[in-house]
Amino acid sequence: MALFRVTPTSGDRYIAEEVASHARPAPEGVAEALTWGADEHLLLGCAAAAWLVATARRSPLESAAKHLLIVAAATATVPHVLKLVFDQERPDRRIARSRLHGIPRSGDSMDAFPSGHALHMGALASAASVLPKRYKWPVWGLALGLSGTRVAILAHWLSDVAAGFVMGIGLERAIRCVTGYPDARLRKLISDEKKP
């Protein structure tokens, strides 16, 4: 039993009911597959691989890769801690009590708040905010889209996703104070990229 019980807003319930009423197996299957792009195991593995490659090659991106690895580890831990503090029933249990029209079952029934996937994506989007626009905006779009899949498969209420995304941004910004991201080498690469 957690310390705090979070209840969905009327807007959360309305959106979840709309998703449930329009759900069909094929789109739900696509959303379920896409949501793996924001999974902590995948992101942590990719961040570790990037850090290993950047370190082995003594790349100017080594400190950025280290920052992303630390962020990935933090965003893999924080949601689990928060879910010990907060209880909230997932919409797939409350709105769609069976596997209605292909809606999958997600995690523990009382672990809706916050969305860990959205927390990961908020942190990734925040880290990309230092990049040139041609990289930054696609990363933000991808992060928001992958976060939205959590609502589409009724794994989370919209407010869980919004809260998770904002928490991810805040966590990444706090970690910058420790890692010094973006460092001078990354800033130089970015400024060289912007030159005609």
Side-chain angles (χ1 to χ4, degrees):
M1 187 69 142
L3 296 175
F4 301 101
R5 176 86 179 200
V6 179
T7 57
T9 67
S10 58
D12 285 332
R13 288 190 299 275
Y14 174 78
I15 290 167
E17 287 166 2
E18 284 296 305
V19 168
S21 70
H22 292 91
R24 299 294 174 263
E28 287 297 318
V30 169
E32 185 178 13
L34 288 173
T35 201
W36 283 99
D39 181 73
E40 68 185 54
H41 301 97
L42 175 67
L43 296 173
L44 197 51
C46 289
W51 176 75
L52 287 170
V53 169
T55 301
R57 293 185 176 177
R58 300 192 193 291
S59 166
L61 297 174
E62 183 179 351
S63 68
K66 179 182 171 185
H67 174 75
L68 289 178
L69 179 57
I70 292 167
V71 167
T75 62
T77 305
V78 167
H80 295 288
V81 172
L82 290 173
K83 288 177 184 196
L84 295 173
V85 177
F86 298 101
D87 264 350
Q88 184 179 38
E89 189 174 21
R90 291 183 185 270
D92 65 1
R93 306 312 202 283
R94 189 164 184 178
I95 302 294
R97 290 186 172 83
S98 63
R99 289 180 59 90
L100 175 74
H101 304 298
I103 295 171
R105 287 280 187 219
S106 298
D108 292 334
S109 65
M110 296 305 289
D111 278 354
F113 185 85
S115 167
H117 286 66
L119 201 146
H120 307 315
M121 291 296 98
L124 179 66
S126 178
S129 67
V130 303
L131 301 175
K133 290 178 183 178
R134 71 181 183 146
Y135 301 115
K136 171 176 50 179
W137 296 124
V139 171
W140 270 84
L142 180 67
L144 289 166
L146 290 175
S147 296
T149 63
R150 304 307 286 165
V151 176
I153 64 171
L154 294 179
H156 292 284
W157 307 98
L158 180 60
S159 61
D160 304 333
V161 171
F165 201 88
V166 170
M167 286 177 193
I169 292 170
L171 182 59
E172 189 275 334
R173 296 297 167 107
I175 291 170
R176 285 185 190 193
C177 297
V178 176
T179 64
Y181 176 85
D183 71 336
R185 292 171 74 187
L186 180 59
R187 284 195 298 273
K188 182 178 182 332
L189 280 175
I190 291 167
S191 97
D192 291 347
E193 169 81 20
K194 290 179 179 177
K195 289 177 184 171

